[in-house]
Amino acid sequence: MTSRLLPHAVLGLAVLIFAFPIWIAVAGSTQDAAAIARGDLSLVPRLSGFAVYRDVLLNSSAGAGPVWRELLVSFGMALAIALGKIALSIPSAYAVAFFRFPLRMAAFWVIFMTLMLPVEVRLVPTFQVMSTLGMVNTFSGLTVPLIASATATLLFRQTFTAIPDELVEAARIDGAGPLRFLFDVVIPVSGANIAALFVILFVYGWNQYLWPLLVVTDPHLDTVVIGIVKMIGIDTETAWNKVMATAVLALLPPVVVVVAMQRWFVKGLTEGDK
Amino acid sequence: MDRRTIFPGRALPALLVLPQLALTAVFFLWPAGQAIWSSLQREDAFGTSSEFAGLENFASLFADPLYGAAVARTVLFCAAVTALSMGLALLFAVFADAEIRGRAFYRTMLVWPYAVAPAMSAVLWVLMFHPQIGLVGAWLNRIGVPWDYKLNGAEAMALIVGASAWKQVSYNFIFFLAGLQAIPRSVIEAARIDGSRGFYRFRTIVLPLLMPVVFFLLVVDLVYAAFDTFATVYALTQGGPGQSTQTLVLKVYLDGIVNADIGSSSAQSVVLMAGVIVLSALQFRFLGRKAGT
């Protein structure tokens, strides 16, 4: 009997560890800010308190703009990064996988090297480059440097090299050129990989913190992740119910994307190795 | 694995790789080169002129006891985050792999934290461990256990380790679960018939077959702990109290951006780059081995 109960006990505990903070955030968001500040956080949500969501969405609060605008910036950024990376890496992976051109391996290694240079380790010089290019405080400054990394290219190259030679041969006999083959065969058969990668990249873009912190000082371009850290920064006068409501709103979009596309996403992670 | 059938032509493939190469050159190679260049320069106090200084920045960096302390702190932090997140993930994956009721529910509930931003995990942990408003933090103080991570360095370290590991468990969980499911049932069945049971069977049969996943995650988690946790640590403690939670990435940020010490920050960046290259090389080896098995 114990062997039947043990898995449920362990997994139940695990669910509790992960779900409990979210429950606190949801319950806390509906309560009186002064009561929370005193340490009287109730685990029972107050039904009349849900108006706080309308409030944080529409109105600016101390240190941060209205959350609807932050969510819009986050959404735009996540979408631009996901689509931009996919649009950039499909052609380059295709070129490396299906052509033999001079400096092919050199090009591949230059792209591959970016994996070893995360923005965290080249912080100051990257910022200097951005200001030279006049991209500080712009939406493109927020997104373009994050689009140019190799993970997606590697993944697609792996997928493309798995396409059987016979398929290429057949397409060529049918008179299909390389671009036609790309659009009619390669992209359709890679649909599941593209979907999985979209989830991973959307979450990656949504979750950025250090880069937006560095390259944007204009509050109009604050993402929701930046906004919420600003809110908890000013400790003494923090309106905790608003912080918790914003946290719930900031968590929802990426979590919904991951849970809704769970099957593809897990496949993409485990088969693509990153 | 090279294919036999390829398309002819040179202009088209060049055109296809060009956009990515251009972005790579501007946003990766240029700053990386700049970092190496700045790390070899000495700037005057006003930042108006600079001269070649050789390895001076590196020498003073390695002579600085604060840097040594930050290295040791980062190693400890990375080891703790990696051990905690991998240990918990493996435990959960082993049980989620069993044939039990509600498996799908458990899996969904353990996968979603992947979507939580590192900075957001910091916010959630504030709600639990803030000494006044945090559910657990306030409770500890009420029952007489002094808890304030803003004053106590050891508590601050424990907090950033917990918050960073909490977020990474789901990522490891996905890979461990996939690894466990790839083990043929017949192998497990044979072991069962031979009478090997429970933890002994896990240690002698399952764990060795899982080793490639373990190595892969080891590298991924170390890179995560070293770099991606910037947001978690910065939002929770800003490196304090004192320097007790100042990891290397935080130090690059504080020295370079906040204190504008370009030479030292660049030297630190170059050292970190070398670290990532070593870790990537390790990962490449293990990925190659994994593909081979």
Side-chain angles (χ1 to χ4, degrees):
Chain A
M1 198 60 208
T2 51
S3 67
R4 283 253 191 102
L5 282 178
L6 188 62
H8 289 288
V10 172
L11 293 173
L13 188 69
V15 170
L16 199 68
I17 292 173
F18 288 118
F20 192 55
I22 304 296
W23 180 256
I24 296 180
V26 173
S29 67
T30 65
Q31 289 164 35
D32 181 44
I36 303 173
R38 280 196 307 271
D40 291 335
L41 182 61
S42 165
L43 285 177
V44 185
R46 200 167 49 104
L47 290 177
S48 59
F50 279 104
V52 71
Y53 284 90
R54 201 189 143 81
D55 184 29
V56 294
L57 270 173
L58 300 180
N59 303 317
S60 306
S61 40
V67 170
W68 71 262
R69 198 174 57 210
E70 294 176 353
L71 287 171
L72 206 63
V73 175
S74 285
F75 194 76
M77 183 180 172
L79 210 58
I81 289 175
L83 296 179
K85 270 205 189 202
I86 290 172
L88 200 67
S89 49
I90 287 181
S92 60
Y94 184 67
V96 174
F98 285 99
F99 291 88
R100 188 114 33 271
F101 54 96
L103 298 180
R104 168 172 157 272
M105 282 326 276
F108 179 70
W109 279 103
V110 167
I111 293 169
F112 182 75
M113 260 178 58
T114 61
L115 282 187
M116 301 172 187
L117 301 170
V119 70
E120 289 84 355
V121 310
R122 50 187 168 85
L123 212 53
V124 177
T126 309
F127 181 76
Q128 289 168 336
V129 167
M130 298 308 284
S131 69
T132 308
L133 296 175
M135 289 175 84
V136 173
N137 272 327
T138 62
F139 184 75
S140 51
L142 206 54
T143 51
V144 176
L146 295 174
I147 288 174
S149 94
T151 36
T153 312
L154 286 179
L155 207 108
F156 281 128
R157 192 193 80 110
Q158 215 169 330
T159 313
F160 294 168
T161 32
I163 293 174
D165 281 337
E166 290 73 24
L167 212 54
V168 192
E169 207 57 70
R172 284 174 65 175
I173 290 167
D174 286 350
L179 282 181
R180 175 99 197 233
F181 183 66
L182 172 65
F183 285 108
D184 286 358
V185 178
V186 173
I187 291 179
V189 303
S190 313
N193 297 79
I194 296 174
L197 205 66
F198 178 83
V199 179
I200 294 166
L201 295 175
F202 184 88
V203 169
Y204 165 83
W206 186 277
N207 289 351
Q208 286 301 316
Y209 178 73
L210 180 56
W211 183 245
L213 178 72
L214 200 64
V215 87
V216 164
T217 50
D218 178 359
H220 284 89
L221 280 172
D222 273 349
T223 64
V224 69
V225 173
I226 292 281
I228 196 164
V229 176
K230 278 191 181 172
M231 283 171 93
I232 65 167
I234 34 168
D235 207 8
T236 46
E237 45 191 311
T238 308
W240 287 104
N241 58 337
K242 289 186 182 177
V243 171
M244 297 187 196
T246 309
V248 174
L249 290 170
L251 282 166
L252 267 177
V255 168
V256 165
V257 168
V258 164
V259 171
M261 297 182 72
Q262 193 183 347
R263 225 169 29 132
W264 274 336
F265 151 73
V266 170
K267 231 181 111 180
L269 263 187
T270 50
E271 283 176 4
D273 285 330
K274 194 153 181 168
Chain B
M1 189 184 82
D2 273 342
R3 56 177 67 249
R4 282 156 285 136
T5 50
I6 47 165
F7 288 109
R10 291 181 165 198
L12 183 64
L15 217 60
L16 290 174
V17 284
L18 207 62
Q20 183 157 24
L21 277 182
L23 282 188
T24 303
V26 174
F27 296 108
F28 286 85
L29 302 184
W30 181 6
Q34 183 79 45
I36 295 170
W37 173 253
S38 308
S39 72
L40 302 173
Q41 301 288 313
R42 177 176 32 216
E43 288 201 23
D44 67 21
F46 307 102
T48 47
S49 69
S50 58
E51 56 177 318
F52 188 74
L55 297 176
E56 194 180 85
N57 286 319
F58 292 94
S60 55
L61 192 63
F62 290 127
D64 182 1
L66 284 181
Y67 187 70
V71 172
R73 194 180 301 125
T74 307
V75 170
L76 173 79
F77 171 75
C78 290
V81 169
T82 303
L84 195 59
S85 60
M86 282 180 72
L88 283 178
L90 183 57
L91 179 72
F92 299 159
V94 166
F95 284 112
D97 186 44
E99 305 277 333
I100 57 165
R101 226 179 246 263
R103 228 168 15 165
F105 166 77
Y106 285 128
R107 285 181 192 170
T108 303
M109 290 304 285
L110 293 177
V111 163
W112 72 263
Y114 169 84
V116 176
M120 294 303 301
S121 79
V123 173
L124 293 177
W125 276 59
V126 167
L127 303 184
M128 292 208 295
F129 289 98
H130 190 286
Q132 280 90 44
I133 74 123
L135 208 73
V136 180
W139 173 75
L140 281 174
N141 281 315
R142 219 171 293 140
I143 63 164
V145 181
W147 167 268
D148 190 345
Y149 62 86
K150 288 175 183 181
L151 301 173
N152 183 317
E155 290 176 0
M157 183 52 101
L159 191 73
I160 62 167
V161 167
S164 305
W166 181 82
K167 201 213 114 44
Q168 189 67 359
V169 169
S170 62
Y171 185 91
N172 294 338
F173 173 78
I174 294 167
F175 280 92
F176 277 136
L177 193 60
L180 286 169
Q181 288 177 345
I183 296 175
R185 292 288 135 184
S186 56
V187 174
I188 307 286
E189 274 315 309
R192 181 173 299 162
I193 291 163
D194 285 347
S196 101
R197 308 180 31 146
F199 182 70
Y200 179 77
R201 184 168 69 216
F202 175 78
R203 193 169 59 80
T204 54
I205 312 281
V206 178
L207 200 56
L209 289 170
L210 217 51
M211 267 341 238
V213 183
V214 171
F215 280 126
F216 168 74
L217 288 178
L218 203 59
V219 176
V220 170
D221 286 1
L222 284 175
V223 172
Y224 161 80
F227 301 109
D228 292 346
T229 54
F230 172 88
T232 317
V233 180
Y234 191 70
L236 274 176
T237 66
Q238 265 122 38
Q243 272 132 9
S244 56
T245 54
Q246 205 183 85
T247 57
L248 287 174
V249 172
L250 224 62
K251 197 166 158 54
V252 172
Y253 176 79
L254 294 174
D255 288 353
I257 304 288
V258 180
N259 301 324
D261 183 352
I262 306 296
S264 172
S265 171
S266 301
Q268 292 179 37
S269 292
V270 172
V271 173
L272 280 181
M273 273 191 244
V276 189
I277 288 173
V278 169
L279 281 176
S280 305
L282 278 176
Q283 184 176 27
F284 205 59
R285 275 200 59 178
F286 288 125
L287 281 186
R289 183 179 301 177
K290 200 179 161 193
T293 49

